Amino acid sequence: MIVVQCLLLILYSSHVFIFMGTCVLGLFISSVFPCMVALTEDMVNYKGCVTTVLVTSAGTGEMVLQLLTGQLIHSKGSYSFLLVSMISSCIGFTVFLNLLYIQQLHRSSQAALVNTQRQSSSTQRQSLLTQYPPSDQT
């Protein structure tokens, strides 16, 4: 996706490439929102109300970004749209990588916590067995 945007920045004067690049960029962007919803659902167990807030917030963000981009195009020219798209994509990609990193840290800390709890419970069990050995009543 970022490669297509870089090519759009370089070849902005070619009308054919702008058309084809925009189509390819749209194909890449179409899968971002469902993937992010699935990723957050994997990380956090949430119900329908939170999904409503998530979708509403995403729609509001899209509207605000379009409004700001339109004002920027009106004042600075059409090339600014490509720059804004490139910058927002880089920021989004960075946020996505940070989310993956945080998810990995969370999973590893949860696994370490579970292992520590298992070890402490087995140690407690062993100490109880040495203090009070089972008796054979046959």
Side-chain angles (χ1 to χ4, degrees), residues 5 7 23 46 59-60 69 72 83 87 89 96 102 120 128 135:
Q5 285 186 337
L7 289 174
C23 291
Y46 57 82
T60 304
T69 303
L72 187 65
L83 290 175
I87 291 168
S89 293
F96 178 70
I102 290 170
S120 67
L128 285 174
S135 61

Side-chain angles (χ1 to χ4, degrees), residues 40-107:
T40 56
E41 192 176 60
D42 231 14
M43 293 172 67
V44 180
N45 188 14
Y46 57 82
K47 303 293 181 215
C49 183
V50 177
T51 305
T52 303
V53 171
L54 185 68
V55 170
T56 305
S57 300
T60 304
E62 289 174 8
M63 287 187 293
V64 169
L65 186 62
Q66 295 300 318
L67 176 70
L68 294 175
T69 303
Q71 289 177 350
L72 187 65
I73 287 173
H74 184 68
S75 65
K76 301 289 184 185
S78 61
Y79 188 72
S80 61
F81 172 70
L82 295 173
L83 290 175
V84 168
S85 298
M86 182 68 181
I87 291 168
S88 62
S89 293
C90 289
I91 291 171
F93 186 65
T94 304
V95 168
F96 178 70
L97 289 179
N98 284 332
L99 280 174
L100 287 178
Y101 179 69
I102 290 170
Q103 179 189 21
Q104 186 66 28
L105 287 177
H106 180 70
R107 283 187 179 175

